[in-house]
Amino acid sequence: MENARLLGELRRRTRDLQESLEYQTATSDVLKVISRSGAELEPVLDTLVETAALICQADEAMIMRLQDGFYRMAASFGYTPEFVELMARSRLPPDTGTVTGQTALERRVIHIHDTAAKPDYRPPPLQAGEHRTALGVPLLRDETAIGVIFLTRSRVEPFTEKQISLVTTFADQAVIAIENARLFNELRERTAELGRSVEELKMLSEVGQAVSSTLDLRAVLSTILTSSLGLTWANAGAIFHYSRADRSFRLVEAVGWDAALTRTVRELRIAESESAMGEAIARRMPVQLADLAQPSRYPLRDSTLAAGFHSALIVPLIGAERTLGAIILMRQEAGEFPPETVRLMQTLASQSVLAIQNARMFREIADKSEQLALASQHKSQFLANMSHELRTPLNAILGYAELLVDGIYGVLPDRPKGVLERIQNNGKHLLALINDVLDLAKIEAGQLTLTLEDYAMPEVVRSVITATEPLATSKGLKFTAALQDGMPMGHGDARRVSQVLLNLVGNAIKFTEAGEVEIRASSANGQFELSVRDTGPGIADADQERIFGEFQQIDNTNTRNKGGTGLGLAISKRMVEMQGGTISVESVLGQGSTFRVVLPVHVDEMMEAAE
């Protein structure tokens, strides 16, 4: 008896061990399938439901998954093809009418030992009376039943605790597989989306570089269209210009159209109110024409249908201040463009608006520059001609006045002689003004050339002193000069240097009513430095840069006390710069001014050639 008892206990333990080993092996096999499946969920669920049915000795089994609030069959085992086809179309709500619905609703294991003993039991379709024992185990994720494992037996034989525990383990593994597949698919979708975004950004960058590499408007539009077709896989595209004057669209550029269609559309004036382009402009959003055969406000419908196009996407080109037009993309098949394509075209449209505006602005600037250059050329020619025409009779007047003063035509009384001297002085002043205008005209026309030769800077300064000292003496000003000893010989245009110094010293004497005017000249590091200092009224900071402009004076009113055209400093600046030098001013109101000129000792002859 003891041997029989021990033998029976041994057999039970052996069966338990074999059952445990079988369960562990099944669990391990399922885990292997899960680890190899990746995003493929169907093989995992098929393996789970088949293994659960075989291990638990169930006749049928299925896995239901939650989709849009209902439970649909995801995998099955042991059912007839008719039942599987029917369940594929069925949706079970989470309620107590079925084992699946009750399991999902209560989120716990539902075990019916005998369905015949449960009056409210509602079997699945085509299964009435075919099974007696049913088991439902929920697939729980974050307290939500995302699915149910449903097992049945055609006999009354309740599932054991070990079997229910195994199915619960399988349910947990199914949740892991479903979650892995979801995360894997999301990762794959995001990776694909990121790849598309990177590719789109790369293509947009290439479009931007291509568009920014030229400012020719037609080339810009052609690049935009070609790039649009490449980004969206459209078959053809066109850009229309919008006219605010008559509220209409006209074709500017087309890609993918044949010559006949292009010629037909180019001759059309498409009214804003009669076109889907007008709708896109009004809404400031893209408009889709999924089927051009359907009635719509689209004047190009017949011609584009005849050319084989059946759908269109219209993207408005709207700038910050005005509407530029619209891009139309066309495909040969009907249907809407994908949302990502529409978003991409909106980005490209924004980029295109900037490119079109830049090209137009460049063209306008180029036109204006050409007009300004032509006007400046005419002005310079006019000034040169007028200065020459004025200088010839003026020189004659000055010559005759000098002859009269010298008594060539007889001795004149003192009174007429004084009048002639005033005529001479004013004539010389007028001649100086005409010479300034002529010099400016020559500089602007590029006709003023330098005469490079060796010269002594001290001699140039002394000649200026000799010419201007009587003016300073007549106003009672102290006039001094400080010249550095041993200055090197210079090589440049001495006459232009003398003209600059005469202008600076003349201005200093003219605007200084009391005090002194001083000239300084020195050399260091291969450069001459000349300065003219006065004790005049000074120049405000705001005017110090302006006075070197043409026709600029500190006092520009009609009642100013000092004469002049405002060209002296402008001409001096040009002459200094032609020799590679600089001119500047330092001044404080009420404390006088110091003009400083820096010139190279040896002017580069190549500089003259470049000028």
Side-chain angles (χ1 to χ4, degrees):
M1 291 175 61
E2 183 66 16
N3 288 342
R5 185 185 64 80
L6 292 174
L7 182 60
E9 184 176 343
L10 178 61
R11 287 174 177 174
R12 285 194 301 272
R13 289 184 179 179
T14 301
R15 283 197 304 270
D16 290 343
L17 289 174
Q18 289 177 342
E19 188 178 63
S20 297
L21 179 61
E22 186 178 359
Y23 288 177
Q24 290 178 2
T25 302
T27 302
S28 176
D29 291 342
V30 170
L31 289 176
K32 288 179 181 178
V33 173
I34 292 175
S35 66
R36 293 195 301 263
S37 64
E40 298 297 327
L41 185 59
E42 185 176 349
V44 176
L45 299 184
D46 288 341
T47 301
L48 274 171
V49 73
E50 181 179 359
T51 304
L54 295 176
I55 294 296
C56 297
Q57 299 175 359
D59 296 315
E60 300 97 8
M62 73 173 75
I63 294 179
M64 308 289 287
R65 285 191 62 194
L66 179 64
Q67 295 179 3
D68 303 326
F70 294 89
Y71 290 86
R72 298 174 179 270
M73 178 185 284
S76 65
F77 175 81
Y79 290 105
T80 64
E82 294 81 9
F83 176 79
V84 173
E85 183 180 353
L86 177 63
M87 288 300 296
R89 301 192 301 268
S90 301
R91 302 185 306 169
L92 298 181
D95 58 23
T96 58
T98 62
V99 173
T100 297
Q102 184 178 0
T103 302
L105 184 64
E106 299 180 8
R107 299 191 301 278
R108 66 181 180 87
V109 175
I110 300 298
H111 187 195
I112 301 177
H113 294 191
D114 187 359
T115 58
K118 187 175 175 59
D120 59 345
Y121 178 73
R122 190 173 73 219
L126 300 180
Q127 293 293 308
E130 291 189 10
H131 63 258
R132 299 292 298 274
T133 298
L135 175 67
V137 179
L139 278 60
L140 297 177
R141 185 184 69 195
D142 298 332
E143 300 301 322
T144 299
I146 63 172
V148 174
I149 297 180
F150 178 61
L151 286 81
T152 64
R153 286 173 176 166
S154 58
R155 61 195 179 279
V156 177
E157 182 183 342
F159 293 90
T160 65
E161 291 297 327
K162 285 187 177 181
Q163 290 172 339
I164 294 174
S165 176
L166 176 65
V167 176
T168 302
T169 300
F170 282 176
D172 294 337
Q173 292 175 343
V175 170
I176 294 173
I178 293 172
E179 187 67 8
N180 286 346
R182 182 183 66 84
L183 293 175
F184 190 88
N185 287 327
E186 286 185 1
L187 178 61
R188 186 161 57 184
E189 290 175 1
R190 291 182 181 180
T191 302
E193 183 179 352
L194 181 60
R196 287 194 301 269
S197 298
V198 170
E199 189 65 24
E200 290 172 359
L201 288 174
K202 180 181 177 181
M203 295 185 73
L204 286 174
S205 175
E206 292 174 355
V207 171
Q209 292 177 0
V211 168
S212 61
S213 64
T214 178
L215 289 171
D216 179 71
L217 184 56
R218 187 162 294 278
V220 168
L221 297 180
S222 179
T223 300
I224 291 171
L225 275 180
T226 304
S227 302
S228 299
L229 299 186
L231 288 171
T232 62
W233 300 101
N235 302 113
I239 292 182
F240 286 80
H241 171 259
Y242 175 70
S243 173
R244 287 183 296 180
D246 55 5
R247 294 188 175 276
S248 65
F249 296 89
R250 286 187 179 275
L251 178 64
V252 178
E253 190 72 19
V255 173
W257 287 359
D258 57 30
L261 179 58
T262 303
R263 185 169 54 253
T264 300
V265 177
R266 198 178 295 278
E267 295 173 354
L268 295 178
R269 184 186 68 83
I270 303 172
E272 176 184 357
S273 59
E274 300 175 356
S275 170
M277 288 188 288
E279 180 182 351
I281 294 297
R283 294 170 54 188
R284 305 176 74 88
M285 292 179 60
V287 171
Q288 296 230 38
L289 301 177
D291 188 357
L292 296 179
Q294 298 296 325
S296 62
R297 291 189 307 164
Y298 190 60
L300 306 179
R301 183 182 61 181
D302 295 339
S303 55
T304 51
L305 281 174
F309 301 106
H310 294 276
S311 61
L313 171 65
I314 302 172
V315 184
L317 297 173
I318 300 177
E321 299 179 355
R322 57 174 296 185
T323 299
L324 300 179
I327 299 177
I328 297 182
L329 298 182
M330 297 180 181
R331 294 189 306 185
Q332 294 175 344
E333 64 273 9
E336 291 190 348
F337 286 72
E340 57 271 17
T341 297
V342 178
R343 290 193 297 269
L344 179 63
M345 282 306 303
Q346 286 180 292
T347 302
L348 183 60
S350 300
Q351 193 176 31
S352 302
V353 167
L354 294 177
I356 292 172
Q357 288 178 334
N358 289 343
R360 284 186 171 176
M361 289 176 61
F362 178 81
R363 187 175 63 184
E364 291 175 1
I365 291 173
D367 292 341
K368 295 295 183 183
S369 299
E370 185 177 350
Q371 294 174 9
L372 289 174
L374 184 60
S376 177
Q377 180 181 354
H378 291 166
K379 181 202 71 173
S380 300
Q381 189 64 41
F382 172 77
L383 291 176
N385 293 339
M386 289 303 299
S387 299
H388 182 269
E389 295 297 327
L390 290 173
R391 191 162 55 171
T392 300
L394 183 58
N395 281 327
I397 292 173
L398 290 175
Y400 284 122
E402 185 176 357
L403 292 175
L404 288 172
V405 171
D406 291 341
I408 299 298
Y409 300 104
V411 178
L412 296 177
D414 292 338
R415 188 173 181 180
K417 192 173 182 179
V419 173
L420 286 174
E421 289 178 352
R422 286 196 294 273
I423 291 174
Q424 278 187 308
N425 291 334
N426 284 283
K428 290 178 180 179
H429 178 65
L430 179 58
L431 182 61
L433 298 181
I434 292 174
N435 287 334
D436 285 345
V437 172
L438 184 58
D439 284 342
L440 178 64
K442 287 183 178 180
I443 291 174
E444 291 186 345
Q447 297 175 355
L448 186 66
T449 58
L450 299 176
T451 302
L452 300 182
E453 57 186 0
D454 293 335
Y455 68 94
M457 181 60 76
E459 294 181 4
V460 173
V461 175
R462 291 190 189 99
S463 66
V464 172
I465 294 173
T466 301
T468 56
E469 190 171 23
L471 297 177
T473 302
S474 65
K475 295 186 66 172
L477 300 177
K478 181 181 179 182
F479 192 21
T480 60
L483 304 179
Q484 177 184 332
D485 294 332
M487 280 191 290
M489 290 292 294
H491 182 77
D493 194 326
R495 187 168 68 88
R496 301 301 181 187
V497 175
S498 175
Q499 186 176 347
V500 171
L501 273 179
L502 282 171
N503 184 278
L504 295 179
V505 174
N507 283 347
I509 294 173
K510 179 170 64 174
F511 290 101
T512 302
E513 300 300 330
E516 67 173 324
V517 173
E518 179 190 49
I519 301 178
R520 286 183 172 272
S522 61
S523 66
N525 301 321
Q527 292 181 323
F528 288 127
E529 182 174 326
L530 309 173
S531 64
V532 176
R533 182 181 63 83
D534 64 60
T535 57
I539 304 170
D541 291 342
D543 294 326
Q544 290 180 15
E545 191 70 26
R546 182 173 62 86
I547 59 174
F548 290 102
E550 299 166 5
F551 304 104
Q552 297 293 330
Q553 291 181 319
I554 298 176
D555 182 7
N556 278 325
T557 63
N558 293 329
T559 58
R560 63 179 183 266
N561 295 324
K562 308 301 181 183
T565 61
L567 290 175
L569 289 178
I571 293 173
S572 298
K573 184 174 185 294
R574 299 283 188 92
M575 290 181 175
V576 169
E577 291 175 347
M578 286 178 67
Q579 299 187 67
T582 60
I583 184 170
S584 60
V585 62
E586 298 174 4
S587 182
V588 177
L589 281 176
Q591 299 182 21
S593 305
T594 300
F595 284 83
R596 184 168 286 105
V597 175
V598 178
L599 289 168
V601 174
H602 295 278
V603 175
D604 190 355
E605 294 184 3
M606 294 302 294
M607 183 178 298
E608 181 189 4
E611 293 293 339

